[in-house]
Amino acid sequence: VTVATELAVRESIRLLNDLTFEDPDMPIKVRNVVVNQILADDGNDIQDFVSHTRSAQSLSIDELQRSIEADVTKVPYLDTEPRGVFGLKALAAELLREEATVSAA
């Protein structure tokens, strides 16, 4: 099972390659891959998706904060996955913006 993001797909491909080629004498055959959380082509489910995602994020962050003894930094949704130099720069800019906001408070 995977989701349709570039990083998740890359990880799934890596895992499938490891399962298939790790031991040539006993490869694990994968016949089907499930891609979860696909939005409908007509866009009718976007509001529901965003609402459910926001609710699930809130519950997950609350659980994380209750379960660990560390600060949790929340980074807003970026329009691209943070990968490569450009992605890391965008992520760093958001983290620095958050840090400046916290410092000013």
Short mmCIF file of all heavy atoms in Angstrom, two decimals, residues 23-95:
data_model
loop_
_atom_site.label_atom_id
_atom_site.label_comp_id
_atom_site.label_asym_id
_atom_site.label_seq_id
_atom_site.Cartn_x
_atom_site.Cartn_y
_atom_site.Cartn_z
N ASP A 23 17.14 -11.67 -2.72
CA ASP A 23 17.60 -13.07 -2.73
C ASP A 23 17.08 -13.70 -4.02
O ASP A 23 15.93 -14.13 -4.08
CB ASP A 23 17.07 -13.82 -1.52
CG ASP A 23 17.63 -15.25 -1.44
OD1 ASP A 23 18.29 -15.69 -2.41
OD2 ASP A 23 17.41 -15.90 -0.42
N PRO A 24 17.91 -13.75 -5.07
CA PRO A 24 17.45 -14.27 -6.37
C PRO A 24 16.86 -15.68 -6.32
O PRO A 24 16.03 -16.04 -7.13
CB PRO A 24 18.69 -14.23 -7.25
CG PRO A 24 19.66 -13.35 -6.56
CD PRO A 24 19.30 -13.36 -5.10
N ASP A 25 17.28 -16.48 -5.32
CA ASP A 25 16.76 -17.84 -5.21
C ASP A 25 15.36 -17.87 -4.60
O ASP A 25 14.63 -18.84 -4.79
CB ASP A 25 17.69 -18.70 -4.36
CG ASP A 25 19.05 -18.88 -5.04
OD1 ASP A 25 19.10 -18.89 -6.29
OD2 ASP A 25 20.05 -19.02 -4.31
N MET A 26 15.01 -16.83 -3.86
CA MET A 26 13.70 -16.80 -3.21
C MET A 26 13.07 -15.41 -3.32
O MET A 26 12.78 -14.76 -2.32
CB MET A 26 13.83 -17.18 -1.74
CG MET A 26 14.26 -18.60 -1.52
SD MET A 26 14.24 -19.05 0.22
CE MET A 26 12.55 -18.81 0.65
N PRO A 27 12.84 -14.92 -4.53
CA PRO A 27 12.23 -13.59 -4.65
C PRO A 27 10.77 -13.61 -4.16
O PRO A 27 10.09 -14.63 -4.25
CB PRO A 27 12.30 -13.30 -6.14
CG PRO A 27 12.32 -14.65 -6.78
CD PRO A 27 13.05 -15.55 -5.82
N ILE A 28 10.35 -12.50 -3.62
CA ILE A 28 8.95 -12.37 -3.21
C ILE A 28 8.20 -11.74 -4.37
O ILE A 28 8.55 -10.67 -4.85
CB ILE A 28 8.85 -11.50 -1.95
CG1 ILE A 28 9.57 -12.19 -0.80
CG2 ILE A 28 7.38 -11.21 -1.60
CD1 ILE A 28 9.67 -11.36 0.45
N LYS A 29 7.18 -12.42 -4.83
CA LYS A 29 6.42 -11.94 -5.99
C LYS A 29 5.31 -11.01 -5.50
O LYS A 29 4.52 -11.36 -4.64
CB LYS A 29 5.82 -13.10 -6.75
CG LYS A 29 6.86 -14.13 -7.19
CD LYS A 29 6.82 -14.31 -8.68
CE LYS A 29 7.74 -15.43 -9.10
NZ LYS A 29 9.08 -15.04 -9.33
N VAL A 30 5.26 -9.82 -6.07
CA VAL A 30 4.21 -8.85 -5.76
C VAL A 30 3.34 -8.74 -6.99
O VAL A 30 3.81 -8.43 -8.07
CB VAL A 30 4.82 -7.48 -5.38
CG1 VAL A 30 3.73 -6.45 -5.14
CG2 VAL A 30 5.72 -7.62 -4.16
N ARG A 31 2.05 -9.00 -6.81
CA ARG A 31 1.13 -8.98 -7.94
C ARG A 31 0.28 -7.74 -8.01
O ARG A 31 -0.30 -7.43 -9.04
CB ARG A 31 0.22 -10.20 -7.88
CG ARG A 31 0.97 -11.49 -8.05
CD ARG A 31 0.04 -12.65 -8.07
NE ARG A 31 0.83 -13.87 -7.96
CZ ARG A 31 0.40 -15.00 -7.49
NH1 ARG A 31 -0.83 -15.12 -7.10
NH2 ARG A 31 1.20 -16.03 -7.40
N ASN A 32 0.16 -7.03 -6.90
CA ASN A 32 -0.71 -5.86 -6.88
C ASN A 32 -0.18 -4.85 -5.88
O ASN A 32 0.28 -5.21 -4.81
CB ASN A 32 -2.14 -6.29 -6.49
CG ASN A 32 -3.15 -5.18 -6.68
OD1 ASN A 32 -3.02 -4.38 -7.58
ND2 ASN A 32 -4.14 -5.14 -5.82
N VAL A 33 -0.26 -3.59 -6.24
CA VAL A 33 0.10 -2.50 -5.35
C VAL A 33 -1.14 -1.62 -5.21
O VAL A 33 -1.76 -1.24 -6.21
CB VAL A 33 1.28 -1.68 -5.90
CG1 VAL A 33 1.56 -0.47 -5.03
CG2 VAL A 33 2.52 -2.55 -6.03
N VAL A 34 -1.51 -1.31 -3.98
CA VAL A 34 -2.67 -0.46 -3.72
C VAL A 34 -2.18 0.97 -3.53
O VAL A 34 -1.27 1.22 -2.72
CB VAL A 34 -3.42 -0.94 -2.45
CG1 VAL A 34 -4.55 0.01 -2.09
CG2 VAL A 34 -3.93 -2.36 -2.66
N VAL A 35 -2.76 1.88 -4.28
CA VAL A 35 -2.46 3.31 -4.13
C VAL A 35 -3.67 3.94 -3.46
O VAL A 35 -4.76 3.98 -4.04
CB VAL A 35 -2.15 3.99 -5.49
CG1 VAL A 35 -1.81 5.45 -5.27
CG2 VAL A 35 -1.02 3.26 -6.20
N ASN A 36 -3.47 4.41 -2.26
CA ASN A 36 -4.54 4.91 -1.41
C ASN A 36 -4.66 6.43 -1.51
O ASN A 36 -3.73 7.11 -1.93
CB ASN A 36 -4.22 4.50 0.04
CG ASN A 36 -5.41 4.52 0.95
OD1 ASN A 36 -6.55 4.68 0.51
ND2 ASN A 36 -5.16 4.36 2.23
N GLN A 37 -5.80 6.97 -1.10
CA GLN A 37 -6.06 8.41 -0.99
C GLN A 37 -6.06 9.12 -2.33
O GLN A 37 -5.56 10.24 -2.46
CB GLN A 37 -5.07 9.07 -0.02
CG GLN A 37 -5.12 8.50 1.37
CD GLN A 37 -4.10 9.11 2.30
OE1 GLN A 37 -3.16 9.78 1.86
NE2 GLN A 37 -4.27 8.88 3.58
N ILE A 38 -6.63 8.50 -3.35
CA ILE A 38 -6.70 9.11 -4.68
C ILE A 38 -7.94 9.99 -4.77
O ILE A 38 -9.05 9.57 -4.42
CB ILE A 38 -6.77 8.01 -5.77
CG1 ILE A 38 -5.53 7.12 -5.70
CG2 ILE A 38 -6.94 8.60 -7.16
CD1 ILE A 38 -4.24 7.83 -5.97
N LEU A 39 -7.76 11.20 -5.25
CA LEU A 39 -8.89 12.12 -5.43
C LEU A 39 -9.58 11.83 -6.76
O LEU A 39 -8.94 11.45 -7.73
CB LEU A 39 -8.40 13.57 -5.42
CG LEU A 39 -7.76 14.02 -4.11
CD1 LEU A 39 -7.20 15.43 -4.26
CD2 LEU A 39 -8.75 13.96 -2.97
N ALA A 40 -10.89 12.02 -6.79
CA ALA A 40 -11.67 11.80 -8.01
C ALA A 40 -11.27 12.81 -9.08
O ALA A 40 -10.90 13.95 -8.78
CB ALA A 40 -13.15 11.90 -7.71
N ASP A 41 -11.36 12.40 -10.32
CA ASP A 41 -10.99 13.29 -11.44
C ASP A 41 -11.88 14.52 -11.53
O ASP A 41 -11.46 15.56 -12.00
CB ASP A 41 -11.04 12.52 -12.76
CG ASP A 41 -9.91 11.53 -12.89
OD1 ASP A 41 -8.88 11.69 -12.21
OD2 ASP A 41 -10.06 10.57 -13.68
N ASP A 42 -13.14 14.41 -11.08
CA ASP A 42 -14.07 15.54 -11.20
C ASP A 42 -13.88 16.58 -10.09
O ASP A 42 -14.47 17.65 -10.12
CB ASP A 42 -15.51 15.06 -11.24
CG ASP A 42 -15.92 14.31 -9.98
OD1 ASP A 42 -15.17 14.33 -8.98
OD2 ASP A 42 -17.00 13.68 -10.01
N GLY A 43 -13.06 16.28 -9.08
CA GLY A 43 -12.77 17.23 -8.01
C GLY A 43 -13.86 17.37 -6.97
O GLY A 43 -13.75 18.21 -6.07
N ASN A 44 -14.91 16.56 -7.05
CA ASN A 44 -16.02 16.68 -6.11
C ASN A 44 -15.65 16.32 -4.68
O ASN A 44 -16.35 16.70 -3.75
CB ASN A 44 -17.20 15.82 -6.56
CG ASN A 44 -17.91 16.41 -7.76
OD1 ASN A 44 -17.86 17.61 -8.00
ND2 ASN A 44 -18.56 15.56 -8.52
N ASP A 45 -14.59 15.59 -4.48
CA ASP A 45 -14.24 15.13 -3.14
C ASP A 45 -13.15 15.96 -2.47
O ASP A 45 -12.70 15.63 -1.38
CB ASP A 45 -13.84 13.66 -3.18
CG ASP A 45 -12.73 13.38 -4.18
OD1 ASP A 45 -12.28 14.31 -4.86
OD2 ASP A 45 -12.33 12.21 -4.28
N ILE A 46 -12.77 17.08 -3.07
CA ILE A 46 -11.65 17.85 -2.54
C ILE A 46 -11.97 18.46 -1.18
O ILE A 46 -11.16 18.40 -0.26
CB ILE A 46 -11.18 18.92 -3.55
CG1 ILE A 46 -10.54 18.21 -4.73
CG2 ILE A 46 -10.23 19.91 -2.92
CD1 ILE A 46 -10.11 19.12 -5.85
N GLN A 47 -13.15 19.05 -1.02
CA GLN A 47 -13.50 19.64 0.28
C GLN A 47 -13.53 18.59 1.39
O GLN A 47 -13.04 18.82 2.49
CB GLN A 47 -14.85 20.36 0.21
CG GLN A 47 -14.75 21.72 -0.44
CD GLN A 47 -16.07 22.48 -0.33
OE1 GLN A 47 -17.14 21.88 -0.36
NE2 GLN A 47 -15.97 23.79 -0.23
N ASP A 48 -14.12 17.42 1.09
CA ASP A 48 -14.14 16.35 2.08
C ASP A 48 -12.72 15.90 2.42
O ASP A 48 -12.40 15.67 3.58
CB ASP A 48 -14.94 15.15 1.57
CG ASP A 48 -16.43 15.39 1.58
OD1 ASP A 48 -16.89 16.33 2.28
OD2 ASP A 48 -17.14 14.65 0.89
N PHE A 49 -11.88 15.77 1.39
CA PHE A 49 -10.51 15.33 1.61
C PHE A 49 -9.77 16.31 2.52
O PHE A 49 -9.12 15.90 3.49
CB PHE A 49 -9.77 15.19 0.27
CG PHE A 49 -8.31 14.90 0.43
CD1 PHE A 49 -7.87 13.63 0.75
CD2 PHE A 49 -7.37 15.91 0.27
CE1 PHE A 49 -6.51 13.36 0.90
CE2 PHE A 49 -6.02 15.65 0.42
CZ PHE A 49 -5.59 14.37 0.73
N VAL A 50 -9.88 17.60 2.23
CA VAL A 50 -9.17 18.60 3.02
C VAL A 50 -9.70 18.61 4.45
O VAL A 50 -8.92 18.66 5.41
CB VAL A 50 -9.29 20.00 2.36
CG1 VAL A 50 -8.75 21.08 3.28
CG2 VAL A 50 -8.55 20.02 1.03
N SER A 51 -10.99 18.53 4.62
CA SER A 51 -11.58 18.52 5.95
C SER A 51 -11.13 17.30 6.75
O SER A 51 -10.72 17.42 7.91
CB SER A 51 -13.11 18.53 5.84
OG SER A 51 -13.69 18.41 7.10
N HIS A 52 -11.18 16.12 6.14
CA HIS A 52 -10.75 14.90 6.82
C HIS A 52 -9.25 14.93 7.12
O HIS A 52 -8.81 14.49 8.19
CB HIS A 52 -11.10 13.66 6.00
CG HIS A 52 -12.55 13.33 6.02
ND1 HIS A 52 -13.40 13.78 5.04
CD2 HIS A 52 -13.30 12.63 6.89
CE1 HIS A 52 -14.62 13.35 5.30
NE2 HIS A 52 -14.59 12.66 6.42
N THR A 53 -8.46 15.42 6.17
CA THR A 53 -7.01 15.49 6.36
C THR A 53 -6.68 16.43 7.52
O THR A 53 -5.86 16.10 8.38
CB THR A 53 -6.31 15.96 5.08
OG1 THR A 53 -6.58 15.02 4.04
CG2 THR A 53 -4.81 16.08 5.27
N ARG A 54 -7.33 17.58 7.56
CA ARG A 54 -7.07 18.55 8.63
C ARG A 54 -7.43 17.95 9.99
O ARG A 54 -6.69 18.07 10.97
CB ARG A 54 -7.86 19.84 8.38
CG ARG A 54 -7.72 20.87 9.45
CD ARG A 54 -6.27 21.39 9.52
NE ARG A 54 -6.10 22.22 10.67
CZ ARG A 54 -5.39 21.89 11.75
NH1 ARG A 54 -4.73 20.75 11.77
NH2 ARG A 54 -5.29 22.69 12.76
N SER A 55 -8.56 17.28 10.06
CA SER A 55 -9.00 16.65 11.31
C SER A 55 -8.02 15.56 11.74
O SER A 55 -7.63 15.49 12.92
CB SER A 55 -10.40 16.07 11.12
OG SER A 55 -10.83 15.42 12.29
N ALA A 56 -7.61 14.71 10.80
CA ALA A 56 -6.66 13.63 11.11
C ALA A 56 -5.31 14.20 11.54
O ALA A 56 -4.68 13.69 12.48
CB ALA A 56 -6.49 12.71 9.90
N GLN A 57 -4.87 15.27 10.89
CA GLN A 57 -3.60 15.90 11.27
C GLN A 57 -3.68 16.42 12.70
O GLN A 57 -2.75 16.23 13.50
CB GLN A 57 -3.26 17.05 10.33
CG GLN A 57 -2.76 16.63 8.98
CD GLN A 57 -2.47 17.83 8.09
OE1 GLN A 57 -2.88 18.96 8.37
NE2 GLN A 57 -1.77 17.57 7.00
N SER A 58 -4.78 17.07 13.02
CA SER A 58 -4.94 17.64 14.36
C SER A 58 -4.90 16.55 15.42
O SER A 58 -4.20 16.68 16.44
CB SER A 58 -6.26 18.40 14.42
OG SER A 58 -6.42 18.99 15.69
N LEU A 59 -5.62 15.45 15.19
CA LEU A 59 -5.62 14.34 16.14
C LEU A 59 -4.22 13.72 16.27
O LEU A 59 -3.77 13.41 17.38
CB LEU A 59 -6.63 13.28 15.72
CG LEU A 59 -8.11 13.67 15.84
CD1 LEU A 59 -8.98 12.61 15.17
CD2 LEU A 59 -8.49 13.87 17.29
N SER A 60 -3.54 13.55 15.14
CA SER A 60 -2.21 12.94 15.15
C SER A 60 -1.19 13.82 15.86
O SER A 60 -0.35 13.33 16.63
CB SER A 60 -1.75 12.66 13.72
OG SER A 60 -2.59 11.71 13.12
N ILE A 61 -1.26 15.12 15.62
CA ILE A 61 -0.33 16.04 16.28
C ILE A 61 -0.60 16.07 17.78
O ILE A 61 0.33 16.06 18.59
CB ILE A 61 -0.42 17.45 15.67
CG1 ILE A 61 0.17 17.43 14.25
CG2 ILE A 61 0.30 18.48 16.53
CD1 ILE A 61 -0.10 18.68 13.44
N ASP A 62 -1.88 16.08 18.16
CA ASP A 62 -2.22 16.04 19.59
C ASP A 62 -1.65 14.78 20.25
O ASP A 62 -1.07 14.84 21.34
CB ASP A 62 -3.73 16.08 19.80
CG ASP A 62 -4.33 17.44 19.48
OD1 ASP A 62 -3.57 18.43 19.35
OD2 ASP A 62 -5.58 17.52 19.35
N GLU A 63 -1.81 13.63 19.60
CA GLU A 63 -1.28 12.37 20.14
C GLU A 63 0.24 12.42 20.25
O GLU A 63 0.82 11.99 21.25
CB GLU A 63 -1.70 11.19 19.28
CG GLU A 63 -1.21 9.87 19.81
CD GLU A 63 -1.61 8.67 18.98
OE1 GLU A 63 -2.41 8.81 18.05
OE2 GLU A 63 -1.09 7.58 19.26
N LEU A 64 0.89 12.95 19.22
CA LEU A 64 2.35 13.06 19.24
C LEU A 64 2.79 13.94 20.40
O LEU A 64 3.71 13.57 21.16
CB LEU A 64 2.85 13.64 17.91
CG LEU A 64 4.35 13.80 17.76
CD1 LEU A 64 5.05 12.45 17.80
CD2 LEU A 64 4.67 14.52 16.45
N GLN A 65 2.14 15.08 20.60
CA GLN A 65 2.52 15.99 21.67
C GLN A 65 2.29 15.38 23.05
O GLN A 65 3.06 15.63 23.98
CB GLN A 65 1.77 17.32 21.53
CG GLN A 65 2.26 18.13 20.35
CD GLN A 65 1.45 19.38 20.10
OE1 GLN A 65 0.22 19.37 20.23
NE2 GLN A 65 2.13 20.45 19.73
N ARG A 66 1.25 14.57 23.20
CA ARG A 66 1.00 13.89 24.48
C ARG A 66 1.98 12.76 24.73
O ARG A 66 2.25 12.41 25.88
CB ARG A 66 -0.43 13.32 24.51
CG ARG A 66 -1.52 14.32 24.71
CD ARG A 66 -2.86 13.65 25.00
NE ARG A 66 -3.18 12.58 24.05
CZ ARG A 66 -3.84 12.74 22.91
NH1 ARG A 66 -4.23 13.94 22.55
NH2 ARG A 66 -4.10 11.70 22.13
N SER A 67 2.54 12.19 23.67
CA SER A 67 3.33 10.97 23.79
C SER A 67 4.83 11.18 23.90
O SER A 67 5.56 10.26 24.24
CB SER A 67 3.06 10.06 22.58
OG SER A 67 1.70 9.72 22.52
N ILE A 68 5.30 12.36 23.59
CA ILE A 68 6.74 12.60 23.62
C ILE A 68 7.07 13.81 24.47
O ILE A 68 6.21 14.64 24.74
CB ILE A 68 7.33 12.79 22.19
CG1 ILE A 68 6.77 14.05 21.53
CG2 ILE A 68 7.07 11.57 21.34
CD1 ILE A 68 7.44 14.41 20.22
N GLU A 69 8.31 13.89 24.88
CA GLU A 69 8.78 15.03 25.65
C GLU A 69 9.73 15.86 24.80
O GLU A 69 10.90 16.03 25.14
CB GLU A 69 9.46 14.55 26.93
CG GLU A 69 8.51 13.89 27.90
CD GLU A 69 9.19 13.48 29.19
OE1 GLU A 69 10.23 14.06 29.53
OE2 GLU A 69 8.67 12.57 29.85
N ALA A 70 9.23 16.35 23.69
CA ALA A 70 10.03 17.18 22.78
C ALA A 70 9.10 18.19 22.13
O ALA A 70 7.89 17.98 22.05
CB ALA A 70 10.70 16.33 21.71
N ASP A 71 9.67 19.29 21.69
CA ASP A 71 8.88 20.27 20.96
C ASP A 71 8.49 19.71 19.61
O ASP A 71 9.25 18.97 18.99
CB ASP A 71 9.68 21.56 20.76
CG ASP A 71 9.96 22.28 22.07
OD1 ASP A 71 9.16 22.10 23.02
OD2 ASP A 71 10.96 23.02 22.14
N VAL A 72 7.31 20.07 19.15
CA VAL A 72 6.83 19.67 17.83
C VAL A 72 6.71 20.94 16.99
O VAL A 72 5.98 21.86 17.36
CB VAL A 72 5.47 18.95 17.91
CG1 VAL A 72 4.92 18.67 16.52
CG2 VAL A 72 5.59 17.67 18.72
N THR A 73 7.45 21.01 15.92
CA THR A 73 7.38 22.15 15.01
C THR A 73 6.48 21.78 13.85
O THR A 73 6.71 20.78 13.17
CB THR A 73 8.79 22.52 14.48
OG1 THR A 73 9.61 22.84 15.61
CG2 THR A 73 8.73 23.70 13.54
N LYS A 74 5.46 22.59 13.61
CA LYS A 74 4.52 22.34 12.52
C LYS A 74 4.90 23.24 11.34
O LYS A 74 5.02 24.45 11.50
CB LYS A 74 3.09 22.62 12.97
CG LYS A 74 2.63 21.67 14.06
CD LYS A 74 1.21 21.93 14.45
CE LYS A 74 1.19 22.78 15.69
NZ LYS A 74 -0.15 23.01 16.23
N VAL A 75 5.08 22.63 10.19
CA VAL A 75 5.42 23.35 8.97
C VAL A 75 4.19 23.36 8.07
O VAL A 75 3.59 22.31 7.85
CB VAL A 75 6.61 22.68 8.24
CG1 VAL A 75 6.91 23.37 6.92
CG2 VAL A 75 7.84 22.67 9.13
N PRO A 76 3.80 24.52 7.56
CA PRO A 76 2.62 24.56 6.69
C PRO A 76 2.83 23.71 5.43
O PRO A 76 3.96 23.41 5.04
CB PRO A 76 2.49 26.03 6.30
CG PRO A 76 3.46 26.78 7.11
CD PRO A 76 4.41 25.82 7.72
N TYR A 77 1.71 23.34 4.83
CA TYR A 77 1.74 22.55 3.60
C TYR A 77 2.52 23.31 2.53
O TYR A 77 2.25 24.48 2.27
CB TYR A 77 0.31 22.29 3.12
CG TYR A 77 0.25 21.44 1.89
CD1 TYR A 77 0.38 20.06 1.96
CD2 TYR A 77 0.11 22.03 0.64
CE1 TYR A 77 0.35 19.28 0.82
CE2 TYR A 77 0.07 21.25 -0.51
CZ TYR A 77 0.19 19.89 -0.41
OH TYR A 77 0.17 19.12 -1.53
N LEU A 78 3.49 22.65 1.94
CA LEU A 78 4.27 23.23 0.85
C LEU A 78 3.68 22.74 -0.47
O LEU A 78 3.14 21.64 -0.54
CB LEU A 78 5.74 22.83 0.95
CG LEU A 78 6.45 23.20 2.26
CD1 LEU A 78 7.85 22.62 2.28
CD2 LEU A 78 6.49 24.71 2.42
N ASP A 79 3.79 23.52 -1.52
CA ASP A 79 3.21 23.12 -2.80
C ASP A 79 4.01 22.05 -3.52
O ASP A 79 3.63 21.59 -4.59
CB ASP A 79 3.00 24.34 -3.71
CG ASP A 79 4.30 25.03 -4.08
OD1 ASP A 79 5.35 24.67 -3.54
OD2 ASP A 79 4.26 25.94 -4.92
N THR A 80 5.11 21.64 -2.92
CA THR A 80 5.92 20.56 -3.48
C THR A 80 6.54 19.78 -2.33
O THR A 80 6.71 20.32 -1.23
CB THR A 80 7.02 21.11 -4.41
OG1 THR A 80 7.71 20.02 -5.01
CG2 THR A 80 8.01 21.98 -3.67
N GLU A 81 6.84 18.52 -2.55
CA GLU A 81 7.50 17.74 -1.51
C GLU A 81 8.92 18.26 -1.33
O GLU A 81 9.61 18.54 -2.31
CB GLU A 81 7.54 16.27 -1.90
CG GLU A 81 6.17 15.61 -1.89
CD GLU A 81 6.25 14.14 -2.18
OE1 GLU A 81 6.72 13.39 -1.32
OE2 GLU A 81 5.86 13.75 -3.29
N PRO A 82 9.37 18.41 -0.09
CA PRO A 82 10.72 18.93 0.15
C PRO A 82 11.79 17.89 -0.18
O PRO A 82 12.13 17.05 0.64
CB PRO A 82 10.72 19.28 1.64
CG PRO A 82 9.64 18.46 2.22
CD PRO A 82 8.64 18.20 1.15
N ARG A 83 12.28 17.95 -1.40
CA ARG A 83 13.34 17.04 -1.83
C ARG A 83 14.35 17.83 -2.65
O ARG A 83 14.01 18.84 -3.25
CB ARG A 83 12.79 15.87 -2.63
CG ARG A 83 12.05 16.29 -3.85
CD ARG A 83 11.46 15.11 -4.60
NE ARG A 83 10.68 15.58 -5.70
CZ ARG A 83 11.16 15.96 -6.88
NH1 ARG A 83 12.44 15.92 -7.11
NH2 ARG A 83 10.36 16.36 -7.83
N GLY A 84 15.56 17.39 -2.62
CA GLY A 84 16.60 18.10 -3.35
C GLY A 84 16.92 19.44 -2.70
O GLY A 84 16.34 19.81 -1.68
N VAL A 85 17.82 20.18 -3.30
CA VAL A 85 18.28 21.46 -2.75
C VAL A 85 17.13 22.46 -2.67
O VAL A 85 16.92 23.11 -1.64
CB VAL A 85 19.44 22.02 -3.59
CG1 VAL A 85 19.83 23.41 -3.12
CG2 VAL A 85 20.65 21.08 -3.50
N PHE A 86 16.34 22.59 -3.74
CA PHE A 86 15.25 23.56 -3.75
C PHE A 86 14.23 23.24 -2.65
O PHE A 86 13.80 24.12 -1.91
CB PHE A 86 14.54 23.58 -5.11
CG PHE A 86 13.33 24.47 -5.13
CD1 PHE A 86 13.46 25.84 -5.21
CD2 PHE A 86 12.06 23.92 -5.04
CE1 PHE A 86 12.36 26.66 -5.19
CE2 PHE A 86 10.93 24.73 -5.03
CZ PHE A 86 11.08 26.10 -5.11
N GLY A 87 13.85 21.98 -2.54
CA GLY A 87 12.88 21.58 -1.53
C GLY A 87 13.39 21.81 -0.12
O GLY A 87 12.64 22.25 0.76
N LEU A 88 14.66 21.50 0.11
CA LEU A 88 15.23 21.72 1.43
C LEU A 88 15.33 23.21 1.76
O LEU A 88 15.12 23.61 2.90
CB LEU A 88 16.61 21.06 1.54
CG LEU A 88 16.57 19.53 1.53
CD1 LEU A 88 17.99 18.97 1.52
CD2 LEU A 88 15.79 18.99 2.71
N LYS A 89 15.59 24.05 0.75
CA LYS A 89 15.61 25.50 0.97
C LYS A 89 14.22 26.00 1.34
O LYS A 89 14.07 26.84 2.24
CB LYS A 89 16.12 26.23 -0.28
CG LYS A 89 17.61 26.17 -0.45
CD LYS A 89 18.04 26.98 -1.67
CE LYS A 89 19.53 26.92 -1.85
NZ LYS A 89 19.99 27.71 -3.01
N ALA A 90 13.19 25.51 0.66
CA ALA A 90 11.81 25.91 0.97
C ALA A 90 11.44 25.47 2.39
O ALA A 90 10.84 26.23 3.15
CB ALA A 90 10.84 25.32 -0.05
N LEU A 91 11.81 24.26 2.76
CA LEU A 91 11.53 23.75 4.10
C LEU A 91 12.28 24.57 5.15
O LEU A 91 11.72 24.96 6.17
CB LEU A 91 11.91 22.27 4.20
CG LEU A 91 11.65 21.60 5.54
CD1 LEU A 91 10.18 21.65 5.92
CD2 LEU A 91 12.13 20.16 5.49
N ALA A 92 13.55 24.87 4.88
CA ALA A 92 14.35 25.67 5.82
C ALA A 92 13.75 27.06 6.00
O ALA A 92 13.71 27.58 7.11
CB ALA A 92 15.79 25.77 5.32
N ALA A 93 13.27 27.66 4.91
CA ALA A 93 12.66 28.99 5.00
C ALA A 93 11.44 28.95 5.91
O ALA A 93 11.23 29.86 6.73
CB ALA A 93 12.28 29.49 3.61
N GLU A 94 10.62 27.92 5.80
CA GLU A 94 9.45 27.78 6.67
C GLU A 94 9.87 27.56 8.11
O GLU A 94 9.27 28.14 9.03
CB GLU A 94 8.55 26.64 6.19
CG GLU A 94 7.82 26.94 4.91
CD GLU A 94 6.89 28.14 5.01
OE1 GLU A 94 6.30 28.38 6.10
OE2 GLU A 94 6.73 28.84 4.00
N LEU A 95 10.87 26.74 8.34
CA LEU A 95 11.34 26.50 9.71
C LEU A 95 11.91 27.76 10.33
O LEU A 95 11.65 28.06 11.50
CB LEU A 95 12.37 25.38 9.72
CG LEU A 95 11.83 23.98 9.45
CD1 LEU A 95 12.98 22.99 9.26
CD2 LEU A 95 10.91 23.53 10.56
#
